[in-house]
Amino acid sequence: MSSVSEQQKSDQSPLCALWSVDLKLTHLDWNPEATLIHFQGHYLSICDLDYNILQGEIQNTPKTQASVAIGEFCLVEDLTSGRCYRGRVQNRKGDLFDVFLIDHGNVLSVDKALIYSCSNDLFSLPPKIVCGFLANVLLPQGCSHSVVEAYFTNLIGRNVTGYIKAFLPHKVLLLEAPEVNNDLVRHGFGRHVDTDTFFLLVGMLTEVPLKQSTEQVPDLLIEKQRAQEFCFKRSGLQGYEDILSLCGPRLSCGTRAKVRVTAAVNPELFYCQMTSVDTDLWEMSKKLADVNEDRTIEHNQKTPENLGLLCSVKGKDEKWYRGLVQFLPVNSQLRVLYIDYGFFESVKVENVYRLPPEFFSTPIMAFPCSLFSLGDEVEAVKTQQLSFLKAGLLGKVLDVEIKRFEEEQHLYSITVIGVEENQVAEPKPTQKLPKMKVPTVLRGKKSHRSVAI
C-alpha cells in the first residue's frame, strides 16, 4: 500500500502542458483483442522536397553491410524496387530482420545481407512518419470489423489536431485526438477511458515502459509549438477518502460480488462498481442531462460557486455525471473527480454545474480496491490476478471476493475469482457513415504495416 501513501503526499495541483500537433492521417488499424487503435501520419509542416532530396542521397551513398541490433537505425534494401530506405530494426528471427521504414510506415522483412550501416548525416532529418496509438479511447471487443474498417477508411487523408499524452519507446506516441475520439464514441465504435486507466492498460498490453509527456516535445516537425491544453497530475485518493468514508459502499469481508473496473492507477489502486448499479447510474446520467442540457448557460463567473462540493459535470463522452471540483480553474479548466467512477479529468468550466439537491444523498457507486495477491510468493497467482485485472480494464465483468478492508486508506483488498463474458454495454454502432472525399495516400507495396515499438 506504500504507493497509495506516496500519491497522497504528492503536490496538490501540479500542471502538465499537453503539446498540440497537427497531423494528416495515413493509416489506421486496430487489434480486436487489445482494442487499441494504431495510427500513422505525418506532420502538416513537413517539406516533401527535403525527403525527396534525402532519398536520392540514400541511393548514392556508399553502403557497408553491418550487424544491427533491435531498435537501431540502418539502411535497408528492398529487392523488389532495388532501392534503399531509412529504417529501424523492429524484430529479428535468425538471419531474417523486420525493419520499420521510418519515412513510409511499412515493415520490410529482409535477410541480414540487405541491411547496411551509414553516416549519421542521413538520419539528421526526423522520420517522416509519426506512429502510435489514439489515447483515451478503446474499441469494444466484438464490434463489427467491417463497419469500423469502413469508418477508418473515411479518416485516411484527414487532418487532425491532437495532444501528445505520452511516449512509448522509439517515440511511439499516445495521441489524444478529441475530434476523432468524439466521433468514435458518438457512432458507438469507441469507449472513452480516462488517462490514468489508459496508461495502465497500454503498459499491460505492450509490456514496454511509458513516459508521460510533461516537457517540451523533442525532435518534432512543428512550426510553432503551442500548449493549448493543460492537465492535472493525479493525487491518489486525495479529496475522495472523506466522501467515501461518509457515503461509499460498505462491503463485508468474504463477500462475493460481480463488479466492473471503472478506473485504475495501478494494481494497488483501482476502482470498481457493482454491476447491480448499472440501471441506477444510467437513470442518474439521463436525469442530469435533462436538467442541465436545457439550463441557460450562466457561466460569466470563472469559478463555480460550490467549489469543493458535489457538482454535475459533462464528460468527454457527452454524458453527465456527479463530480467533485478539487482546484481553482486554470486556463478555464477544472480538475474534477468523477465520484461514481473513481477517476479525475480536466473539464472546461462551462461543463460544470451545481448538482441538483436530490442527488446529494444518492450513495457513491465506486469503491477503491487493490489486488490482495500481489504479495503472493507464487508467481503464477500474481500473473493470473493481473490478467484478470487487464480483462476488467478491457470491459469484462469480474467475479471478486472481498478479502480485507484497509480502514485508514479506505481500500478493499480483493481476489478475482473469474471473468465473465458479458462486458461493458456499448451503444450499437451507427451503420451509415458520413461520406468524405479523401486524397490518395501512400499504398504499402512493401510487406505490411505494424506498430513500431
Side-chain angles (χ1 to χ4, degrees):
M1 300 302 171
S2 59
S3 63
V4 177
S5 299
E6 290 169 3
Q7 289 162 8
Q8 288 175 323
K9 295 176 182 177
S10 63
D11 292 336
Q12 286 286 320
S13 58
L15 292 176
C16 301
L18 299 181
W19 293 102
S20 167
V21 293
D22 297 319
L23 300 176
K24 173 173 283 189
L25 295 176
T26 59
H27 178 78
L28 287 162
D29 65 67
W30 91 104
N31 179 341
E33 295 300 319
T35 76
L36 297 177
I37 303 170
H38 170 234
F39 76 89
Q40 289 182 1
H42 61 73
Y43 295 110
L44 298 184
S45 58
I46 66 168
C47 177
D48 286 325
L49 179 59
D50 290 341
Y51 288 91
N52 292 337
I53 294 172
L54 174 64
Q55 192 60 33
E57 293 176 351
I58 290 173
Q59 309 315 312
N60 296 327
T61 191
K63 300 171 182 64
T64 305
Q65 289 186 356
S67 176
V68 182
I70 292 176
E72 292 184 347
F73 289 108
C74 64
L75 293 184
V76 58
E77 183 178 355
D78 177 17
L79 286 179
T80 304
S81 65
R83 296 177 67 81
C84 287
Y85 302 91
R86 298 195 304 173
R88 185 181 65 245
V89 176
Q90 188 167 293
N91 194 19
R92 178 181 181 178
K93 291 184 179 179
D95 291 337
L96 188 65
F97 286 74
D98 290 335
V99 182
F100 178 71
L101 307 185
I102 63 175
D103 299 320
H104 298 278
N106 300 83
V107 174
L108 189 62
S109 297
V110 299
D111 185 81
K112 66 177 182 179
L114 298 176
I115 292 181
Y116 310 103
S117 62
C118 65
S119 167
N120 289 335
D121 292 342
L122 292 179
F123 285 89
S124 60
L125 195 62
K128 184 176 182 180
I129 290 295
V130 183
C131 63
F133 298 104
L134 295 183
N136 299 93
V137 65
L138 297 176
L139 290 180
Q141 292 179 325
C143 62
S144 171
H145 288 206
S146 60
V147 176
V148 173
E149 286 175 359
Y151 178 75
F152 282 168
T153 299
N154 280 333
L155 291 179
I156 300 302
R158 180 171 165 181
N159 297 342
V160 300
T161 296
Y163 301 94
I164 298 175
K165 305 298 284 286
F167 297 92
L168 295 175
H170 310 305
K171 297 181 182 176
V172 173
L173 306 182
L174 296 185
L175 183 78
E176 183 177 15
E179 185 179 352
V180 176
N181 285 9
N182 292 342
D183 278 351
L184 286 168
V185 173
R186 184 164 53 249
H187 288 304
F189 305 141
R191 174 165 64 94
H192 174 72
V193 181
D194 71 279
T195 298
D196 287 335
T197 304
F198 187 79
F199 284 177
L200 176 61
L201 183 57
V202 169
M204 288 179 143
L205 293 171
T206 63
E207 298 182 348
V208 296
L210 180 151
K211 180 181 179 182
Q212 189 168 353
S213 176
T214 58
E215 300 176 353
Q216 181 169 316
V217 181
D219 301 327
L220 296 181
L221 293 170
I222 306 174
E223 291 179 351
K224 183 180 180 181
Q225 292 180 346
R226 54 199 190 279
Q228 293 187 335
E229 185 169 305
F230 291 83
C231 66
F232 297 85
K233 291 183 179 179
R234 63 176 179 247
S235 59
L237 295 176
Q238 287 180 357
Y240 189 70
E241 56 184 359
D242 293 337
I243 298 176
L244 183 63
S245 64
L246 295 173
C247 310
R250 286 293 183 181
L251 304 173
S252 302
C253 295
T255 299
R256 288 276 295 271
K258 288 179 170 45
V259 303
R260 303 187 194 280
V261 179
T262 56
V265 175
N266 53 51
E268 295 179 341
L269 178 59
F270 56 95
Y271 300 85
C272 293
Q273 291 172 349
M274 309 281 277
T275 57
S276 57
V277 304
D278 288 353
T279 300
D280 294 336
L281 286 167
W282 182 85
E283 290 179 350
M284 183 193 302
S285 181
K286 186 175 183 301
K287 289 178 181 178
L288 289 175
D290 291 341
V291 170
N292 294 313
E293 294 290 358
D294 296 332
R295 181 183 296 180
T296 302
I297 299 178
E298 298 176 351
H299 276 277
N300 295 326
Q301 62 207 37
K302 295 299 182 181
T303 306
E305 294 178 357
N306 286 340
L307 183 65
L309 299 181
L310 293 174
C311 63
S312 301
V313 55
K314 188 176 185 179
K316 292 183 178 180
D317 58 2
E318 302 294 313
K319 297 178 182 177
W320 285 89
Y321 302 89
R322 290 192 303 174
L324 174 71
V325 177
Q326 288 200 308
F327 300 120
L328 291 169
V330 177
N331 278 28
S332 298
Q333 295 196 74
L334 293 161
R335 188 174 191 268
V336 175
L337 167 66
Y338 290 63
I339 60 172
D340 294 307
Y341 292 80
F343 64 85
F344 303 92
E345 251 181 2
S346 298
V347 181
K348 293 181 180 179
V349 170
E350 58 264 30
N351 288 331
V352 178
Y353 292 86
R354 290 183 179 180
L355 184 71
E358 63 186 283
F359 295 107
F360 273 59
S361 59
T362 303
I364 288 176
M365 309 295 186
F367 54 97
C369 302
S370 66
L371 288 180
F372 178 74
S373 60
L374 291 179
D376 200 300
E377 295 181 357
V378 181
E379 195 64 32
V381 174
K382 290 189 287 188
T383 300
Q384 182 190 53
Q385 289 294 297
L386 290 172
S387 176
F388 285 156
L389 176 59
K390 181 169 67 175
L393 294 172
L394 288 171
K396 297 294 182 66
V397 172
L398 303 183
D399 181 11
V400 306
E401 180 181 353
I402 308 298
K403 288 292 190 178
R404 187 172 60 208
F405 180 69
E406 303 289 345
E407 190 71 36
E408 184 178 343
Q409 297 167 311
H410 302 281
L411 274 173
Y412 289 95
S413 293
I414 66 171
T415 294
V416 184
I417 308 300
V419 177
E420 295 196 354
E421 286 305 313
N422 57 315
Q423 55 192 46
V424 174
E426 300 290 345
K428 292 185 69 176
T430 304
Q431 298 299 316
K432 293 185 179 180
L433 301 173
K435 294 183 179 180
M436 290 187 284
K437 292 183 180 181
V438 295
T440 302
V441 297
L442 175 68
R443 301 291 180 183
K445 61 180 180 179
K446 310 298 182 286
S447 60
H448 57 281
R449 302 262 180 181
S450 178
V451 180
I453 298 178

